[in-house]
Amino acid sequence: MSNCTIITGGSVTINNGVAKEEKVYDYCNEYTESVEPEECAEPAEDAGEIIAALTPLFYGVKADAIQFLQMVREMKPTQITDLVNQWVAQKKIAQHNCHRDLWKVLNDNDIYMRSESNWNAQVK
């Protein structure tokens, strides 16, 4: 496997208490059968700037910022805003950062391409 370590999908899905391994791809688009959690701990170099911009919005918790980025890369816009609402409720994202600050990082990096007004209408 390459040195790219952020995974755009997930290697394990838990459905009704049963773990199921999924096919995952790293940022270099190399297929791998399974990925150990330790291998996913640090972002690939191309994601480093995004992680640096996201981390302060997640109460400074870099692991949460990495996990969020991994998840939203493959999501549709409404799924992203739903996730943001969930994470605000779980106190993983600061309420005062979930509007313009987070939208700007995602929009500037072509992750969430809808308008800021659309974002604000969806994010509570």
Side-chain angles (χ1 to χ4, degrees):
M1 187 170 154
S2 72
N3 289 331
C4 298
T5 55
I6 287 186
I7 304 305
T8 58
S11 61
V12 177
T13 301
I14 297 184
N15 188 8
N16 296 328
V18 178
K20 175 183 129 185
E21 190 171 320
E22 296 178 340
K23 295 177 183 176
V24 295
Y25 294 84
D26 66 19
Y27 276 130
C28 293
N29 296 320
E30 294 178 10
Y31 172 73
T32 181
E33 280 295 325
S34 65
V35 177
E36 296 300 319
E38 301 83 39
E39 293 181 48
C40 299
E42 291 297 322
E45 286 182 33
D46 62 338
E49 289 181 23
I50 302 170
I51 298 299
L54 286 174
T55 299
L57 308 178
F58 290 79
Y59 295 105
V61 180
K62 185 177 179 181
D64 285 348
I66 292 170
Q67 181 183 9
F68 179 82
L69 182 60
Q70 290 172 339
M71 294 172 74
V72 299
R73 289 254 186 210
E74 300 298 318
M75 289 183 171
K76 295 179 181 180
T78 55
Q79 293 173 312
I80 294 172
T81 55
D82 288 345
L83 180 65
V84 169
N85 288 327
Q86 289 173 2
W87 281 35
V88 167
Q90 295 172 3
K91 306 280 190 233
K92 289 185 173 188
I93 300 173
Q95 174 70 39
H96 61 278
N97 290 330
C98 72
H99 289 283
R100 179 167 179 72
D101 295 339
L102 183 53
W103 171 83
K104 184 145 180 53
V105 173
L106 298 178
N107 186 265
D108 289 351
N109 290 286
D110 300 327
I111 297 168
Y112 184 90
M113 295 308 299
R114 299 229 173 128
S115 69
E116 184 177 2
S117 62
N118 187 319
W119 176 269
N120 288 331
Q122 298 296 318
V123 174
K124 310 293 186 230

